[in-house]
Amino acid sequence: MLRILIATHGSLAPALLASANMVYGELPAVATVSLTEEGGIEAFRAEFEQTLRRHGAGADGVWCCATWSAAPPTTWHAALHLIPHGRSR
């Protein structure tokens, strides 16, 4: 099963998921991570890595997505070192 991870600044990611849940019902294959002022970039990076590992366990793949310029570039830097060499598509 393909899983989806939405990463954004602020509360956009959870809001997108809440809206999708209203339309489609519960979406257990979707997770969110948010960069907040309180947590900062290091907390975001740690949460992103933990969520990616947990959410991706047993999945055929994880699609990381964000709206244009809503996810910090560090999202992808945090993810890239988690992809085994030769496994990215």
Side-chain angles (χ1 to χ4, degrees), residues 1-88:
M1 170 187 276
L2 182 64
R3 306 240 171 97
I4 298 172
L5 176 56
I6 304 170
T8 66
H9 286 89
S11 59
L12 179 59
L16 289 170
L17 180 55
S19 295
N21 283 336
M22 281 196 305
V23 175
Y24 299 106
E26 192 65 26
L27 299 169
V30 181
T32 65
V33 178
S34 299
L35 172 62
T36 64
E37 288 186 59
E38 299 81 29
I41 196 65
E42 291 306 317
F44 171 81
R45 188 175 289 142
E47 181 184 1
F48 184 87
E49 183 174 339
Q50 179 183 29
T51 303
L52 185 58
R53 287 183 190 279
R54 183 182 67 244
H55 196 60
D60 294 323
V62 177
W63 182 46
C64 298
C65 62
T67 57
W68 182 69
S69 74
T74 53
T75 299
W76 315 121
H77 292 270
L80 287 177
H81 78 276
L82 299 173
I83 301 170
H85 182 68
R87 298 256 338 239
S88 61

